[in-house]
Amino acid sequence: MQQEKLTNIYTVSRLNRHARLLLEGDLGAVWLTGEISNLAMPASGHWYFSLKDNQSQLRCAMFRGNNRSVGFRPKNGDQVLIFGKVTLYEPRGDFQLVAQTLAPAGEGLLKQQFEALKNALAAEGLFATERKRPLPAHPARIGIISSPTGAAVHDILTVLARRAPQLEVILYPSQVQGESAVPQLIYALNEANRRNETDLLLLARGGGSLEDLWCFNDERLVRAIAASRLPVVSAVGHEVDVSLSDLVADLRAPTPSAAAELISADSSVQRRQWQQAGQRLEQAMLRVLADRHNRLGQWQQRLERQHPRQRLQQQSQQLDQLQLRLERAMGRRLEQAQQRSSQAALRLAHQHPGQRLVHGTERLATLEQRLHGALQARLNRLEHRLALAGSRLHAMSPLATLSRGYSITLHNRTVLTDAGQLKENDVITTRLAKGEVVSRVETIKPA
C-alpha cells in the first residue's frame, strides 16, 4: 500500500502538463466576452491581457500568427468577443485562454447568439426537410407579410404583374425592422392563418445589416412560422443573407423578386419533386459536412496537443514574461538611480561652491588670455615661415626663370633638352614668360 502511494507522487511539471491536457481535451475552444485590461504587446508581436467582467478575470494570450488577422488594435477597456482554447501555462501553472479570433463586442455577439439559437432549434427538428410542405401547384391567391411602403412589396407586385397577372394578392402589413417588428410579424402570420383566405404566405423584406434583419432571427417568430398551417415562403434580405426564418420556412427564396418568380413559375409535379429532392440532398450534404467538420475538429485538437507549436508558444510566452520582468527591473533600477542623483544634487546644493566658481572663473579668464597670446605668437611665426618658404619656392620656379628672358621648348608635351630629339617638320611649342610660340622644324643642328 505504501509502495503504491509512492508511485503515484506527481512532480509539479507532470501535474501541470496533465492539467493542461485535461483542460484542452474537456473544454477545447470556447466563445468568451469581456473587457480587456493589463494589455501588454512586447516586441515578439504576441499579445497578453486579462479579460474581466464584474466578478472575475482570466489571463489571455494571443500569439502573433493569430493577432495579425485582427482588424483593429485593441486597448484597455475594450469590450470584445473572443474565440479561443482553454489551456494552462505550464511554467507558472497559470490558467489561461489562448485566443484564436478577437472582435469588438456587438455584431460578433449577435453572430454568436445566432449560431447558438440555430443549433438549439435545429436539434428540435424545426429545420428538418421532412417537416417542410410543398407549395400549391396552382395558387390562386397569395398573402404577403411585409411593410406596405417597402421596396420588397413593390418588387414582388412588379414580377407578379408580369408573370401571373391573374394571381390575387392580399397584403398583411407589418413593420420589418426594430423592436416592434416581431410582435407585428407574428400577429400578421396568425391573422393570415385565422382568416385562411390564401393558398400560401410570402414573408418578405429587402436587404440590410445583421442588426436590421435581426427580427427575423427571433425565436418567437421562428416558432410561429413552424406552427403555420399555410405554407410559408421566406424572402428576407439579399442572397447572402440567411436568417432563421429562411431555415424554418417551407421554401427559402434568395430575394423578394426571386420569391415572386418561384411562386408564379411552372409548378408541375416533376418540378416540385426535383426541388424537394434538391432540398433533401442539400440537407443531407449539410449533415455530412457537419459530421465531417466535427470529426476534423476532434482530429485537429488531438494534433494540436502533440504539435510542437504548443511548446513553442509556451516558451515564447515564458520569454515574454522574462522580458517584461527585465523591463520592470530596469525601470526600478533607473528610478533608484534618479533618486540617488537627486539626493546627491541636494547635498551639493547645501555645500554651495560659489566661491570656488569665482576663483575658477578668474583663473579661466587668465588662462584664456595666455592661450590667446600664445596662439597669436605661434600664428605669427608660422606666417613668417610660410612667407620665406614661398619666396624660396618662387625663386626655384621655372616661371621665375622665364621672367628673366628664358624659354622652354616642348614637343608632344615633353621638354626638349637635345636637338636629336627632333626631326624635320616636327611641330614644337616654345613657352615664354607671357604666351607661347608654335613653330615647325626646318633644320636640325646637333651639338
Side-chain angles (χ1 to χ4, degrees):
M1 187 67 179
Q2 185 69 19
Q3 184 66 25
E4 181 181 353
K5 291 182 179 179
L6 291 177
T7 58
N8 289 332
I9 295 176
Y10 277 66
T11 64
V12 176
S13 299
R14 180 186 171 195
L15 179 61
N16 282 352
R17 187 176 302 109
H18 192 185
R20 178 178 64 82
L21 294 176
L22 287 176
L23 286 172
E24 294 177 355
D26 292 344
L27 289 178
V30 297
W31 287 95
L32 197 64
T33 183
E35 178 184 339
I36 288 181
S37 64
N38 301 321
L39 177 62
M41 297 180 175
S44 62
H46 307 321
W47 294 350
Y48 303 99
F49 54 92
S50 296
L51 198 68
K52 67 178 183 179
D53 56 19
N54 294 333
Q55 299 179 347
S56 302
Q57 66 177 1
L58 171 67
R59 289 181 181 270
C60 299
M62 192 170 194
F63 297 107
R64 180 175 55 190
N66 291 323
N67 62 36
R68 286 176 177 173
S69 60
V70 176
F72 73 106
R73 190 170 185 84
K75 61 183 182 300
N76 288 326
D78 283 352
Q79 291 287 337
V80 295
L81 179 69
I82 293 178
F83 179 76
K85 181 177 62 178
V86 179
T87 184
L88 186 81
Y89 179 48
E90 292 183 25
R92 296 178 57 178
D94 286 342
F95 173 70
Q96 68 176 9
L97 180 84
V98 177
Q100 298 176 7
T101 63
L102 187 147
E107 183 174 338
L109 187 58
L110 289 180
K111 290 181 179 179
Q112 182 186 10
Q113 294 173 357
F114 174 87
E115 292 296 330
L117 182 57
K118 183 179 76 171
N119 293 335
L121 296 178
E124 295 183 24
L126 293 185
F127 304 150
T129 305
E130 293 76 12
R131 61 164 299 278
K132 296 183 183 294
R133 295 159 294 185
L135 301 184
H138 303 286
R141 182 182 297 164
I142 67 169
I144 301 177
I145 301 175
S146 186
S147 171
T149 59
V153 171
H154 178 267
D155 294 342
I156 293 171
L157 294 178
T158 300
V159 174
L160 293 179
R162 173 172 52 85
R163 294 173 61 91
Q166 77 285 353
L167 190 61
E168 296 184 33
V169 177
I170 297 178
L171 178 64
Y172 299 95
S174 172
Q175 291 188 14
V176 291
Q177 182 176 334
E179 296 180 358
S180 60
V182 173
Q184 290 190 24
L185 289 168
I186 295 175
Y187 174 80
L189 187 64
N190 293 336
E191 182 67 12
N193 275 274
R194 186 188 66 80
R195 289 161 58 175
N196 195 25
E197 56 190 353
T198 62
D199 298 314
L200 61 89
L201 297 175
L202 176 55
L203 185 65
R205 188 206 187 280
S209 65
L210 182 60
E211 290 84 356
D212 296 338
L213 304 178
W214 191 249
C215 60
F216 293 95
N217 295 319
D218 192 279
E219 183 178 0
R220 295 168 294 173
L221 178 60
V222 173
R223 294 190 181 279
I225 295 173
S228 174
R229 296 188 305 272
L230 297 173
V232 178
V233 176
S234 178
V236 177
H238 299 301
E239 186 171 357
V240 296
D241 300 320
V242 179
S243 65
L244 298 181
S245 297
D246 293 334
L247 300 179
V248 75
D250 297 293
L251 179 63
R252 184 244 175 178
T255 62
S257 299
E261 293 180 356
L262 288 173
I263 293 171
S264 59
D266 180 15
S267 52
S268 63
V269 175
Q270 185 178 19
R271 189 180 186 89
R272 292 201 310 272
Q273 291 175 346
W274 287 350
Q275 186 179 19
Q276 294 170 2
Q279 290 178 349
R280 288 195 297 270
L281 178 61
E282 181 181 1
Q283 293 296 327
M285 289 298 297
L286 289 175
R287 287 194 295 270
V288 171
L289 288 175
D291 178 67
R292 297 297 169 82
H293 180 73
N294 291 334
R295 293 175 60 185
L296 179 61
Q298 295 172 0
W299 281 106
Q300 185 175 1
Q301 288 181 1
R302 293 178 60 184
L303 286 174
E304 285 182 352
R305 294 193 198 106
Q306 303 174 11
H307 199 286
R309 180 180 61 243
Q310 180 70 30
R311 185 165 183 177
L312 288 175
Q313 289 178 348
Q314 294 273 346
Q315 293 176 348
S316 178
Q317 184 172 353
Q318 186 176 11
L319 179 61
D320 290 334
Q321 295 291 340
L322 292 175
Q323 181 181 354
L324 293 173
R325 287 173 57 188
L326 177 61
E327 290 176 354
R328 288 193 291 268
M330 291 180 64
R332 288 194 297 268
R333 292 289 298 275
L334 287 174
E335 184 178 354
Q336 294 171 358
Q338 289 174 354
Q339 291 177 354
R340 289 196 298 270
S341 177
S342 299
Q343 294 171 358
L346 289 175
R347 289 196 299 269
L348 287 174
H350 292 312
Q351 303 174 6
H352 194 281
Q355 192 64 31
R356 295 183 64 186
L357 285 174
V358 171
H359 292 304
T361 302
E362 293 176 353
R363 186 180 179 187
L364 179 62
T366 302
L367 292 175
E368 285 181 350
Q369 292 178 356
R370 291 173 60 187
L371 177 63
H372 179 74
L375 288 174
Q376 187 63 43
R378 183 169 179 79
L379 285 175
N380 292 336
R381 289 195 300 271
L382 292 175
E383 287 179 355
H384 180 69
R385 290 175 62 186
L386 181 62
L388 290 176
S391 299
R392 294 192 191 100
L393 181 64
H394 180 71
M396 298 174 63
S397 173
L399 297 179
T401 304
L402 295 178
S403 63
R404 295 195 297 272
Y406 293 94
S407 64
I408 299 173
T409 303
L410 301 97
H411 174 59
N412 293 334
R413 298 184 181 181
T414 301
V415 176
L416 297 176
T417 59
D418 186 356
Q421 294 179 251
L422 298 174
K423 59 181 180 295
E424 292 183 0
N425 294 322
D426 281 349
V427 176
I428 58 175
T429 301
T430 303
R431 185 172 179 179
L432 307 174
K434 294 183 180 179
E436 296 178 345
V437 175
V438 179
S439 309
R440 186 179 300 278
V441 176
E442 293 182 354
T443 305
I444 298 173
K445 296 180 179 181

